[in-house]
Amino acid sequence: MGVIGIFLSLFLLMYFAYKGVSVIILTPLLALLALLFSGSIDILPVYTQTYMSSLANFVGTYFPIFLLGAIFGKVMDKSGAAKSIANVIARKLGKEKAILAVVLSCAVLTYGGVSLFVVAFAVYPIAVSLFKEAGIPKRLIPGAIALGSFTFTMTAMPGTPQVQNAIPMPYFGTTTWAAPILGISASLVMLVLGCYWLMYRAKKGIAAGEGFGEHEEIKIDEEVKLKLPNFILSLTPILLMLVLNYILSNYVFIEGFMNWEWLDQYKTTIAASGGTWSLIVALIVAIVVAMLSNLKVMKNNLHVINEGATDSLFAILNTAAAVGYGNVIATLGSFTVIKNALLGISSNPLIAEGISISCLSGVTGSATGGMSISLQALGDNLLQLATSSGISPEVLHRVATVACGGLDSLPHNGAVITLLAVCGLSHKKSYFDIFMVSVAIPTVALVVTIILGSMGIV
């Protein structure tokens, strides 16, 4: 009955999330439902001591990254820097390479730390202009934005500051630059196959005489029409953040740079915290530089900072709620059956990790939620198995990030729903292409990553 309760709660979580019910409400209720099926009636202590403690621990660990990432994205958005970067890339590539222009515009922004929601709003008007001029069906715009935002720059590219690349660090003692060869390989699989698919679909639509199509365009903010800031100035904070993050995580916050024994009083080690500290410092510097380089454009920096801070709260609470749910499930005696089944799928821990994270990301409709639940329940076991098999923790890190970015983009995913709303299109018209570039192809990339990682490639 306990196992049935777990699967029932997971199904209901997926169903009601698709219906639009907040996971902040869903997760404690469904976690307690699974608890009742396991035969326990300790509802209140489990809620306050297990669910809420796990939620609070996640917030305590990752809130700085959510907060600074949201503020940086808001500064890049309100200053016009994000639109400036996207405009220049689109103009250089032109209508002949409209799909590649949209994908690369999104990729540069998300790899630079701008949130995918900001990217969707910034790039959409440019995509409409390019696709209309090239006669490419509008229904492919969500797929192009998804490919550039939801896939390789979110999960695979070494050094990406997106939170999905930060979550495995405390579990495996790694940094955002973990397993660079694996990350680049997975990125190329997603980028090349994704672009090939979208170009094939565009060519097919144009040949059928479909064209851009008749659409009632969504009103675009007036700021799009304003003079955009200089491209180099706009790109500087992104480049600075990436370089600084690399230097700090590989040469400063590491064993041997100085004596870190004094960290014992804070119950941490430089291996566990160094990656997070590197990202925090890099994002702070990037935010300051972005604001200083756009003083003439941004007249109310405090308002922008406050807006970004407010946005970060909703984002982290959604993810932390999923983590709280996962921790309750992990404490149930019946979960041991599922846990052993996952770990027993293969003698290769990378396969167990990839399958568990992919499945839970799909159920929760969240890359961060699915990965956090899996690593909280299986992280220690996976690390032990990997160590005994001679597999580097860096490989575990990269497999985890690539795995979370596949099945998460099922129809009930919040980013997918938001993207379709921004583009004014329905699941029926555009989801198939989103599925191909952000679910099917990333799953292929995961298989490639596991194979290469099993061969000892890092």
Side-chain angles (χ1 to χ4, degrees):
M1 287 298 292
V3 174
I4 292 173
I6 290 173
F7 281 108
L8 176 62
S9 72
L10 287 169
F11 170 78
L12 292 175
L13 177 60
M14 181 168 60
Y15 175 78
F16 285 113
Y18 179 68
K19 291 294 184 180
V21 180
S22 170
V23 295
I24 297 174
I25 298 171
L26 276 178
T27 48
L29 294 176
L30 294 178
L32 296 177
L33 173 67
L35 177 71
L36 292 174
F37 266 81
S38 72
S40 173
I41 58 172
D42 300 333
I43 293 175
L44 291 177
V46 168
Y47 175 67
T48 58
Q49 305 308 119
T50 305
Y51 176 87
M52 287 306 302
S53 293
S54 180
L55 182 152
N57 286 337
F58 183 87
V59 173
T61 301
Y62 297 106
F63 180 64
I65 297 171
F66 276 85
L67 173 67
L68 296 170
I71 292 173
F72 182 56
K74 192 63 68 174
V75 171
M76 293 293 287
D77 179 32
K78 295 299 183 181
S79 66
K83 293 184 180 69
S84 174
I85 294 169
N87 262 332
V88 170
I89 294 172
R91 192 167 62 248
K92 293 294 183 183
L93 291 176
K95 68 174 185 178
E96 294 80 11
K97 298 179 181 176
I99 290 173
L100 183 60
V102 171
V103 172
L104 291 183
S105 296
C106 294
V108 169
L109 291 171
T110 48
Y111 187 53
V114 181
S115 76
L116 55 91
F117 296 105
V118 170
V119 171
F121 281 102
V123 175
Y124 171 69
I126 299 165
V128 168
S129 175
L130 287 173
F131 276 49
K132 185 180 289 186
E133 193 176 354
I136 299 173
K138 182 188 175 184
R139 59 182 170 81
L140 297 178
I141 290 179
I145 293 177
L147 176 58
S149 305
F150 302 176
T151 61
F152 60 99
T153 54
M154 184 181 85
T155 63
M157 280 295 288
T160 178
Q162 299 296 332
V163 70
Q164 291 82 1
N165 194 32
I167 287 174
M169 294 193 298
Y171 295 96
F172 304 134
T174 49
T175 72
T176 56
W177 297 90
I181 297 175
L182 290 184
I184 292 171
S185 300
S187 297
L188 288 173
V189 170
M190 290 185 241
L191 176 61
V192 173
L193 293 183
C195 285
Y196 175 82
W197 171 260
L198 291 173
M199 289 173 184
Y200 161 74
R201 294 279 287 170
K203 185 177 180 180
K204 192 174 178 181
I206 293 170
E210 181 179 352
F212 183 78
E214 295 295 327
H215 301 277
E216 184 178 341
E217 295 305 327
I218 298 172
K219 185 179 179 182
I220 299 169
D221 293 340
E222 287 299 313
E223 61 179 327
V224 174
K225 301 174 184 178
L226 297 177
K227 184 178 179 181
L228 296 174
N230 177 271
F231 172 73
I232 299 299
L233 278 179
S234 300
L235 198 59
T236 299
I238 287 177
L239 295 176
L240 184 61
M241 186 275 300
L242 291 170
V243 171
L244 190 57
N245 181 27
Y246 180 81
I247 293 172
L248 291 174
S249 60
N250 288 281
Y251 299 104
V252 178
F253 294 131
I254 58 169
E255 294 284 356
F257 179 76
M258 59 177 285
N259 183 359
W260 298 102
E261 290 181 2
W262 56 275
L263 289 176
D264 291 344
Q265 63 182 310
Y266 296 102
K267 298 180 180 179
T268 190
T269 63
I270 193 61
S273 299
T276 302
W277 293 352
S278 300
L279 196 49
I280 288 173
V281 173
L283 282 169
I284 290 174
V285 171
I287 290 168
V288 172
V289 170
M291 288 193 298
L292 291 176
S293 60
N294 290 286
L295 285 175
K296 293 181 180 179
V297 180
M298 294 178 60
K299 298 178 181 178
N300 194 341
N301 283 327
L302 182 59
H303 176 72
V304 173
I305 292 172
N306 287 342
E307 201 173 336
T310 301
D311 290 347
S312 72
L313 294 176
F314 180 73
I316 195 169
L317 280 178
N318 268 329
T319 305
V323 173
Y325 166 84
N327 202 47
V328 172
I329 298 297
T331 60
L332 302 179
S334 48
F335 180 74
T336 304
V337 177
I338 300 172
K339 178 179 177 180
N340 290 336
L342 288 170
L343 293 174
I345 288 174
S346 169
S347 58
N348 187 338
L350 301 181
I351 295 176
E353 181 184 41
I355 291 175
S356 61
I357 292 177
S358 292
C359 291
L360 284 170
S361 296
V363 169
T364 58
S366 166
T368 50
M371 178 162 50
S372 298
I373 291 171
S374 296
L375 293 183
Q376 196 150 348
L378 303 172
D380 291 340
N381 299 89
L382 290 170
L383 186 58
Q384 289 174 8
L385 288 172
T387 302
S388 63
S389 302
I391 296 173
S392 168
E394 289 197 19
V395 177
L396 283 175
H397 177 121
R398 193 53 58 204
V399 169
T401 60
V402 175
C404 80
L407 296 182
D408 68 306
S409 297
L410 292 176
H412 60 295
N413 175 272
V416 169
I417 293 169
T418 301
L419 175 59
L420 290 171
V422 169
C423 297
L425 292 163
S426 64
H427 278 78
K428 183 178 180 180
K429 286 187 176 180
S430 295
Y431 181 71
F432 178 61
D433 294 296
I434 294 176
F435 174 86
M436 288 302 297
V437 301
S438 65
V439 178
I441 291 172
T443 301
V444 173
L446 172 62
V447 173
V448 172
T449 305
I450 290 175
I451 293 172
L452 294 178
S454 300
M455 294 167 59
I457 296 173
V458 180

